[in-house]
Amino acid sequence: VQLVESGGGSVQPGESLRLSCLASGFPLNNYAIGWFRQVPGREREAVSCINNRDGAAWYSTDVRGRFTISRDSAKNMVYLQMNSLKPEDTAVYSCATDAALWACTKRTIKKSYDYWGQGTQVSVSS
């Protein structure tokens, strides 16, 4: 199992970024992909997830309406489109995957996934 994130960078408040997560070594359609973020000194928090079995997606209240998760199964890619970015969105963003049926539903996300990428830095400042 391998996950590789890309697309991070430095932007100003109000701008957008799209993060990509390239998955390999497992059948993506049978797994959930989650996006998590962490700031040094703070607990990791879940941002969004998608259940590739049925397309169900979940968003944290902090990002709902601004971020959109999507998938391209043919490319083994999951994306996180981040719009209207705020300084408080600054963090290292990691994608992760888990095979549990309950890893991602419309209402909940499993708190810790089984496999993780290395992370990509997102910085939002003026």
Side-chain angles (χ1 to χ4, degrees), residues 66-114:
R66 299 188 297 124
F67 292 10
T68 303
I69 193 168
S70 63
R71 60 182 174 172
D72 185 335
S73 298
K75 297 181 178 179
N76 281 352
M77 295 285 283
V78 173
Y79 304 100
L80 186 67
Q81 178 67 42
M82 306 186 297
N83 297 331
S84 302
L85 283 162
K86 304 175 181 180
E88 51 264 43
D89 294 318
T90 295
V92 174
Y93 285 70
S94 299
C95 65
T97 191
D98 198 290
L101 291 174
W102 48 278
C104 180
T105 72
K106 289 183 179 180
R107 295 186 177 183
T108 64
I109 182 172
K110 185 183 177 186
K111 296 306 180 187
S112 183
Y113 277 31
D114 288 339

Side-chain angles (χ1 to χ4, degrees), residues 2-17:
Q2 188 174 17
L3 300 167
V4 180
E5 303 95 334
S6 61
S10 296
V11 297
Q12 295 188 342
E15 294 185 341
S16 299
L17 280 173

